[in-house]
Amino acid sequence: MARAEPEAGAGSAASPASPASPASARTGTVDGLQVVVTGASRGIGLAIARRLVEEGARVAMLARTASDLQQEATLMGERAWDVPCDLADGGAVERALERILERMGPPDILVNNAGAFLLGALGSTSGPDVQRVFDVNLAAPYRLTNAVVPAMRERGRGHIVTIGSIADRHPFPENGAYAASKFGVRAMHEVLREELRGTGVRASLVSPGPVDTPLWDPIAPDDRPGFTPRASMLRAEAVADAVLWVVTRPEAVNIDELRLTRS
Ligand code: NAP
């Protein structure tokens, strides 16, 4: 059963996996792999966690809201593990990673998904809101990637999947902070890809257009001219399918970048 585990709480005996599962050498499947998904309490991250658990992976689900995480992880069963963590807090991320290492061993796959959106023209946005976008969308993926890559290099396998956005290449008005964070995280991914070439460790950027998730609740795009109506957006499950496809390619294949829009 999935567990609610406050950050400082004692570990349960029901560990989700033994370290360094030999299953991680397989290709074409995530069955038995240890995966970390950030922002897994709702939206795209939840869809990714569900899909990977369905396919046999063991998934550590990170987000701030412990009650949501616990509820979702419990529904998913014993291969899902809720790890409440504020990714904007470097110390909290370190402690979460320590717990994950202790319980799962080094992850086979890290999915950098958690994100914060901000709509506002340059000159009208406030410091803390902008900082939050940079912290969650850029600093957190950097910090997590930095922490897990050495063990992946050592083992000669592993996969870092980063969720970008259509806004990681295309400039939209009122997207200054968001686009800066997403262009930035794409840059991190591209450098990482070059650094990992030939090591056996893979890096993929999955960049969707608008997806109907709770991210849009405060924006109400259906009432705003120029915005994609929610009914015309991608589904979170489509992004999850794309992530599953990316991580199940043969080991010799790296999907560098995958961009999704509605047909
Ligand atoms: P969402 O529905 O708002 O979910 C965001 C997730 O991130 C939640 O689980 C949230 O949980 C978590 N999160 C936010 N701040 C956090 C923090 N400080 N620490 C830990 N977790 C945090 O968003 P989404 O639409 O699924 O977006 C997921 C990713 O896809 C983001 O990177 C986003 O930029 C990208 N994306 C979204 C769209 C779209 O149209 N929806 C399009 C392209 C790309 P808590 O609030 O509990 O922490």
Side-chain angles (χ1 to χ4, degrees), residues 92-234:
V93 172
E94 266 178 39
R95 291 189 291 279
L97 283 170
E98 275 167 22
R99 293 180 58 217
I100 289 167
L101 273 179
E102 198 178 301
R103 305 278 300 264
M104 289 176 59
D108 298 297
I109 301 172
L110 166 65
V111 183
N112 284 316
N113 163 80
F117 187 58
L118 178 65
L119 201 58
L122 283 151
S124 74
T125 41
S126 78
D129 289 344
V130 172
Q131 192 60 49
R132 184 173 59 92
V133 170
F134 292 158
D135 284 346
V136 181
N137 297 5
L138 183 55
Y142 190 96
R143 197 176 276 131
L144 285 163
T145 302
N146 206 42
V148 303
V149 152
M152 289 184 177
R153 275 181 175 279
E154 222 165 87
R155 289 181 297 157
R157 60 185 163 77
H159 205 144
I160 309 288
V161 178
T162 299
I163 306 300
S165 165
I166 191 171
D168 65 25
R169 286 191 183 275
H170 188 87
F172 295 98
E174 299 189 273
N175 263 215
Y178 187 68
S181 70
K182 288 295 184 181
F183 271 61
V185 86
R186 175 168 62 81
M188 178 199 82
H189 157 74
E190 290 184 5
V191 170
L192 180 71
R193 174 71 191 112
E194 291 311 313
E195 291 174 352
L196 293 177
R197 206 175 284 282
T199 65
V201 183
R202 302 188 283 183
S204 303
L205 179 72
V206 175
S207 294
V211 186
D212 187 12
T213 71
L215 174 145
W216 290 104
D217 292 350
I219 313 283
D222 291 4
D223 303 331
R224 290 185 185 239
F227 281 71
T228 304
R230 294 183 82 140
S232 301
M233 292 181 180
L234 289 164

